[in-house]
Amino acid sequence: MIDSPTVEQPTFAALFAAQYQSLVRLAGLLGADDPEDIAQEAFARLTTRSLRDDGAALGYLRATVCNLTRNRLRHLRIVRLRRPDPPEPVRSSEQAVLVAEEHRELLAALDRLPRRQREALVLRYWLDLSEREIAQAMGVSSGSVKTHASRGLAALGKALKEEDA
């Protein structure tokens, strides 16, 4: 009986030395923000597995890197979606008074505009409506909306400059 040559499987240390960098590159190419951690985790998980075929270790490592990267990207996407808005910067009392005064001046100047110009500006800049939506709400054409908004902005600019002078 002739013995077939036995192929000796690499030890864990040899497998790590030979494959670690390629697994880090794989994780990086798949989009991982921490490819080294992904590769290390794959090797850590390999130590707890008993594979049927000793030659399956490399395939297991590659599949684990793919799955860990996919899970990490999914987790980051969910975290970014649920991230709370940053807190508003705290204003000083003086700054709050100045802003309130500017708002008062703006609202007073807006109040002095003709009705159509005021409507066009409020619908555009307060409610953020499109020209078509504004025209529909005001019962005028889109061209009229552009005219009223343009004239209203010019009048507001002039009124606010006069108050500053």
Side-chain angles (χ1 to χ4, degrees):
M1 175 176 206
I2 300 175
D3 288 330
S4 61
T6 57
V7 177
E8 192 171 313
Q9 295 301 320
T11 63
F12 182 82
L15 183 64
F16 184 86
Q19 297 299 323
Y20 177 73
Q21 287 302 323
S22 66
L23 293 174
V24 169
R25 277 192 303 274
L26 174 62
L29 290 171
L30 292 175
D33 63 334
D34 52 356
E36 290 181 347
D37 288 344
I38 298 286
Q40 290 171 10
E41 178 64 23
F43 276 103
R45 290 185 181 193
L46 176 64
T47 62
T48 63
R49 301 289 296 193
S50 58
L51 302 174
R52 290 185 203 155
D53 180 11
D54 288 339
L58 184 56
Y60 174 81
L61 288 169
R62 288 180 181 145
T64 303
V65 165
C66 291
N67 289 331
L68 289 172
T69 301
R70 189 178 310 115
N71 290 341
R72 177 74 178 150
L73 292 174
R74 186 180 307 121
H75 169 75
L76 291 174
R77 187 170 39 248
I78 290 170
V79 166
R80 288 181 189 120
L81 288 174
R82 294 183 182 170
R83 182 181 304 158
D85 293 333
E88 291 290 324
V90 178
R91 294 182 177 162
S92 67
S93 298
E94 295 84 6
Q95 193 176 24
V97 168
L98 289 174
V99 169
E101 181 62 24
E102 289 173 357
H103 285 176
R104 187 196 61 74
E105 292 171 2
L106 175 64
L107 291 174
L110 185 65
D111 209 28
R112 290 190 298 269
L113 290 177
R115 181 179 60 86
R116 289 290 192 175
Q117 291 176 9
R118 184 174 55 245
E119 285 177 2
L121 293 179
V122 168
L123 291 171
R124 174 67 183 106
Y125 295 104
W126 185 261
L127 294 180
D128 200 26
L129 298 181
S130 68
E131 284 179 9
R132 184 180 52 77
E133 293 169 322
I134 296 169
Q136 189 177 27
M138 291 175 62
V140 297
S141 68
S142 291
S144 293
V145 169
K146 291 178 189 178
T147 301
H148 291 307
S150 175
R151 289 179 183 168
L153 283 174
L156 267 182
K158 184 178 177 185
L160 292 175
K161 283 181 186 176
E162 288 174 1
E163 288 183 13
D164 288 340

